[in-house]
Amino acid sequence: MVVLDDKAMTIKVTYNSKKTSLDKIKAAISKLGYDADEVKADPVAYEGLDGCCKKA
């Protein structure tokens, strides 16, 4: 489950640790072009984001 805080521009992820891991979730978020805590966004994916989704 994912909950978006659009004011803070963050998400909270609730997951079943028997089905996936936090590292896999962070890697997936990175591949979409977003930072996930210490895992930085994939640069190619980041460039493909709309301007409103990029850091100011």
Side-chain angles (χ1 to χ4, degrees), residues 6-55:
D6 56 349
K7 289 183 181 180
M9 297 300 292
T10 60
I11 61 171
K12 178 181 177 182
V13 178
T14 304
Y15 67 98
N16 182 337
S17 61
K18 293 179 182 178
K19 294 185 176 186
T20 193
S21 69
L22 184 56
D23 289 338
K24 288 181 181 179
I25 293 169
K26 288 180 181 184
I29 292 169
S30 171
K31 289 178 184 177
L32 293 172
Y34 300 98
D35 291 344
D37 295 330
E38 71 285 350
V39 179
K40 297 301 179 191
D42 176 272
V44 174
Y46 179 79
E47 287 306 314
L49 294 175
D50 289 337
C52 62
C53 296
K54 294 182 177 181
K55 298 175 188 174

